[in-house]
Amino acid sequence: MDLSQVKFDPEGLVPVVVQDAKTGEVLTLAYANREALEETLRTGRSTFYSRSRKALWRKGETSGNIQEVVEVLLDCDGDAVVYRVLPHGPACHTGERSCFHRPLLPGKPSLGFVLAQVYATIQERLRTLPEGSYVAKLHQAGLDRILKKIGEEAGEVILAAKNQNPEEVRWEATDLLFHLLLVLAETGVSLEDLAQTLWERHRPQGSPAPS
């Protein structure tokens, strides 16, 4: 990023939107001065300027909840910045994942957000294999058993669709997606890998590949 393109306000600050690079969820709105932006670009860790303390604020310096920055974007007018991050812990000082956790107009979660959360839970279950876990049980039964479940669930989706029953399709497709996520985790394929491949196949002509 060419920082000469950034339009800082009279106090030398620019607003920074922090976004989860995996799910697109907005985590925080903060501010950065030139020094904070330079440090973020140099270290790959979210750094801001605290208006209350009048000092640099290195996210996670005391809490341990760092944010690994994978991309920094400047908006079209040059007066706002986005940090796309991989968060290691909650973004909010309250312990919530996002600072934006008080809905004024409640909405539905995005598919990308839900898939990322379920995938992360599956990965955790595979690491810890807790007693009574459905994921642990399937993992211990072996990959062939998981693949058999994929076939079974796909068949259920087909039957529901043939019956033209949207509610059934919804439930059966959810089961299929869950078991597909388990196969991805078992074989070491990430959601980012999947997104990259889908984008490369279906992106509009001339659109750049996502980072």
Side-chain angles (χ1 to χ4, degrees):
M1 177 184 289
D2 180 1
L3 295 186
S4 67
Q5 299 180 46
V6 180
K7 296 177 182 176
F8 296 98
D9 68 16
E11 296 181 359
L13 302 177
V14 64
V16 179
V17 176
V18 182
Q19 181 184 41
D20 189 307
K22 289 184 177 180
T23 68
E25 181 185 14
V26 175
L27 301 177
T28 304
L29 173 64
Y31 290 84
N33 60 6
R34 178 179 289 271
E35 185 182 359
L37 285 179
E38 288 174 343
E39 183 165 321
T40 297
L41 294 172
R42 184 178 70 253
T43 65
R45 299 285 175 86
S46 287
T47 305
F48 313 101
Y49 181 82
S50 170
R51 294 176 297 170
S52 59
R53 292 187 288 108
K54 310 234 179 267
L56 287 188
W57 164 30
R58 298 173 179 89
K59 176 63 179 169
E61 190 171 41
T62 56
S63 68
N65 300 324
I66 65 169
Q67 294 171 345
E68 181 183 346
V69 179
V70 299
E71 189 174 25
V72 179
L73 303 170
L74 182 64
D75 87 333
C76 57
D77 294 323
D79 56 5
V81 172
V82 172
Y83 291 175
R84 296 184 64 245
V85 307
L86 300 176
H88 297 267
C92 186
H93 71 283
T94 64
E96 294 285 345
R97 173 179 169 79
S98 168
C99 292
F100 297 95
H101 59 268
R102 300 187 296 174
L104 299 179
L105 179 64
K108 295 181 180 179
S110 70
L111 178 60
F113 172 76
V114 174
L115 290 178
Q117 296 303 303
V118 174
Y119 186 80
T121 300
I122 288 172
Q123 287 181 308
E124 178 63 21
R125 297 289 190 272
L126 291 176
R127 279 193 298 269
T128 59
L129 299 177
E131 186 176 351
S133 163
Y134 177 68
V135 169
K137 178 181 177 182
L138 279 180
H139 171 76
Q140 290 161 346
L143 184 59
D144 284 349
R145 176 66 185 119
I146 301 171
L147 296 177
K148 184 178 179 183
K149 285 295 295 181
I150 291 284
E152 291 172 358
E153 300 300 345
E156 294 292 339
V157 172
I158 291 170
L159 288 175
K162 289 286 286 182
N163 291 334
Q164 298 187 28
N165 187 326
E167 189 66 18
E168 237 184 287
V169 171
R170 171 187 169 190
W171 284 102
E172 300 301 345
T174 299
D175 288 341
L176 177 58
L177 276 174
F178 175 84
H179 290 89
L180 179 57
L181 289 174
L182 178 54
V183 169
L184 293 177
E186 288 277 2
T187 55
V189 178
S190 71
L191 293 183
E192 291 75 26
D193 295 332
L194 206 61
Q196 184 73 32
T197 301
L198 281 169
W199 181 256
E200 288 170 355
R201 287 184 183 181
H202 303 293
R203 72 184 183 204
Q205 189 172 7
S207 298
S211 59

